[in-house]
Amino acid sequence: MEARPSADSATEAQGFTPQYRTYVLVILTMVYTVNYVDRQILSILLQPIKDELLLTDTQLGFISGIAFAIFYATLGIPIAMLADRWNRRNVITIALTLFSGFTAACAGVTSFFQLAAMRVGVAVGEAGSSPPSHSMISDMYPPEKRGAALGVFSLGVNFGILIGFLIGGWVSQWFGWRAAFLVVGIPGLLMAFLVRFTVREPIRGHSEAMVDSGNAPGVFEVFRFLWGQRSFRHIAFGSALAAFVGYGAVVWLPAFLARSFELNQGVIGTSLALIIGISGGLGTYMGGWLGDRYGKKDIRWNLWIIAIIWFSVAPFNVALYLSGDPVWALGLFIVPAFAGAAYLAPILSMTQSLVTLRMRSVASAILLFILNIIGLGLGPQTVGFLSDALHPEFGEESLRYALLITSFVGLWGALHFVLGARTLKEDIERARVYGQV
């Protein structure tokens, strides 16, 4: 690769003015929001689905966790390989159409196996959404602004949960859980047209004033290089363990509040929507902003900040799950909600910096594979399994103690971020040199 005179001039030359760049970021954030609405709508609907289809917590954990995660994480890698070679906007458009369509189709299921099949369809579609978006954002924003941009993009997590819980809670209460799937699934099909006809593909590498060679390495070469980056191994496992706690909580909190405090679906959906949307959204953005701010002085702050946040949140998790009052429980949840996605922007930004230009989509897919197999796959499943195992002793309160036990995994994740910071500088330099060979 050779250096270009100016990344900004390259941006302007292809029509990516600051205003249009912001527009594309907003559109990609909206896609990610729809992605998360469709992914998390099941959480607020678990209890009414359990009651109608007569399912166990282990079955619900399987549908919301491992069944989704296996297809979502595994297919993300080949789709990311396609995105590193083909038009990323088109990949996102097709993915959006698929997961929105299957979400709407969940409205017609009548059994555990039908619901599992539809959720697998959602997972297949969502596998093609995030890695191409990460790659496009990295080509539009230079490294010193990338964390904040990815922080804005990551707000899709919080916006998606907010919308999913709010709409899912009230639509389910008024019209039933089947109507909720239709209400959140259909808008994504319309969104796909907006992406296809208003978003342009950015030139690869212009944000760093680099000329793209056009040669995309195979997935095994990307994996060998990325896995050789010691800091990445800690980033991947640290974020996977954080996701284990986060996904377990987000999926099962509505059922916990319904069983332990007998709150109705509308109140639960509204409460969690506001907390995760506002406090969680602030945490998501601040994670990227703090990483950019302090990372200018020392890049390792991107990981140190995450570790500090996750070590600090542990006492609040304990108090939350031992609380006997719903108001206190929801109030205490504000802090874990802030921490829940604060790691996203820094880890995405650092992963993009740890590889070369044509490795970026696959690198994101590898990160998401590890994060989702452990976090999304095992988190909700483990909580459901523990809840069933503890039920003979604790009855309806078994879910409370299952969530309490799994919350301590976050401390293990925080340790990985501390360890990953030790070699971050050398690993980023290694990627820069490798890209010039």
Side-chain angles (χ1 to χ4, degrees):
M1 296 182 180
E2 299 176 356
R4 287 184 175 180
S6 167
D8 289 337
S9 62
T11 306
E12 295 289 341
Q14 64 164 320
F16 275 79
T17 62
Q19 293 77 17
Y20 182 70
R21 184 175 66 179
T22 300
Y23 170 78
V24 174
L25 178 60
V26 169
I27 292 295
L28 293 178
T29 303
M30 290 173 63
V31 172
Y32 196 36
T33 299
V34 174
N35 178 309
Y36 245 83
V37 170
D38 290 3
R39 185 185 311 182
Q40 293 298 331
I41 186 66
L42 183 63
S43 302
I44 191 65
L45 305 177
L46 284 183
Q47 197 62 40
I49 290 174
K50 175 185 174 78
D51 295 339
E52 181 174 331
L53 301 185
L54 304 177
L55 305 182
T56 67
D57 283 352
T58 299
Q59 287 177 311
L60 292 173
F62 177 80
I63 293 173
S64 57
I66 195 68
F68 185 97
I70 287 175
F71 289 89
Y72 175 68
T74 304
L75 291 177
I77 295 176
I79 294 173
M81 289 179 63
L82 175 65
D84 274 338
R85 291 162 173 78
W86 193 47
N87 187 294
R88 292 165 288 184
R89 175 207 58 200
N90 292 347
V91 174
I92 294 169
T93 301
I94 295 169
L96 177 56
T97 302
L98 284 174
F99 69 70
S100 297
F102 276 108
T103 296
C106 287
V109 303
T110 57
S111 70
F112 165 76
F113 292 104
Q114 289 179 8
L115 180 57
M118 293 303 102
R119 292 301 292 176
V120 166
V122 175
V124 171
E126 292 195 359
S129 175
S130 296
S133 296
H134 300 161
S135 180
M136 288 179 68
I137 292 169
S138 295
D139 284 332
M140 293 190 296
Y141 289 87
E144 65 273 13
K145 297 180 180 179
R146 190 173 295 154
L150 286 166
V152 171
F153 173 79
S154 298
L155 286 172
V157 173
N158 307 98
F159 294 156
I161 295 174
L162 186 154
I163 294 169
F165 278 6
L166 194 60
I167 293 178
W170 288 110
V171 172
S172 173
Q173 183 169 323
W174 292 335
F175 304 106
W177 60 268
R178 297 179 187 278
F181 279 119
L182 286 174
V183 169
V184 302
I186 292 174
L189 299 174
L190 303 176
M191 182 77 189
F193 287 95
L194 188 64
V195 174
R196 175 60 183 82
F197 296 108
T198 69
V199 172
R200 295 195 301 276
E201 176 83 349
I203 295 174
R204 298 178 193 266
H206 73 76
S207 67
E208 291 150 302
M210 303 297 289
V211 176
D212 174 29
S213 67
N215 299 317
V219 64
F220 293 110
E221 180 182 346
V222 178
F223 181 80
R224 282 195 302 269
F225 179 81
L226 194 55
W227 201 248
Q229 303 280 57
R230 288 175 292 174
S231 58
F232 173 78
R233 297 199 295 267
H234 288 295
I235 287 171
F237 285 117
S239 56
L241 294 170
F244 179 95
V245 177
Y247 277 120
V250 169
V251 166
W252 286 106
L253 267 173
F256 161 61
L257 293 170
R259 296 179 195 179
S260 295
F261 302 113
E262 299 183 348
L263 301 180
N264 64 48
Q265 294 293 105
V267 170
I268 293 171
T270 302
S271 301
L272 293 180
L274 293 175
I275 293 172
I276 296 174
I278 298 173
S279 180
L282 182 62
T284 301
Y285 179 76
M286 289 299 294
W289 184 83
L290 289 170
D292 280 349
R293 178 179 175 84
Y294 293 102
K296 292 177 182 178
K297 300 177 181 178
D298 190 328
I299 197 71
R300 293 174 295 181
W301 272 107
N302 280 276
L303 302 185
W304 288 336
I305 286 169
I306 305 173
I308 292 170
I309 291 173
W310 274 87
F311 279 127
S312 302
V313 78
F316 291 90
N317 278 324
V318 173
L320 159 63
Y321 296 124
L322 294 181
S323 174
D325 181 87
V327 176
W328 271 104
L330 289 168
L332 288 163
F333 180 57
I334 292 173
V335 177
F338 179 92
Y343 66 94
L344 279 175
I347 65 150
L348 293 174
S349 180
M350 292 303 96
T351 299
Q352 297 291 291
S353 296
L354 286 167
V355 293
T356 62
L357 297 179
R358 287 273 177 169
M359 292 181 177
R360 283 178 170 168
S361 290
V362 173
S364 283
I366 292 171
L367 173 67
L368 292 176
F369 174 83
I370 298 169
L371 186 155
N372 286 299
I373 286 294
I374 296 174
L376 178 57
L378 298 181
Q381 182 71 77
T382 302
V383 173
F385 175 79
L386 285 174
S387 178
D388 280 341
L390 295 171
H391 191 269
E393 182 174 355
F394 296 102
E396 287 297 295
E397 294 296 326
S398 64
L399 185 54
R400 175 195 297 273
Y401 296 105
L403 286 164
L404 174 63
I405 292 169
T406 55
S407 71
F408 289 104
V409 174
L411 296 173
W412 182 10
L415 178 60
H416 276 290
F417 291 119
V418 174
L419 296 174
R422 296 188 303 177
T423 60
L424 186 61
K425 288 182 178 180
E426 308 89 280
D427 290 340
I428 290 176
E429 177 61 18
R430 176 172 175 251
R432 187 191 68 79
V433 172
Y434 190 85
Q436 295 176 339
V437 174

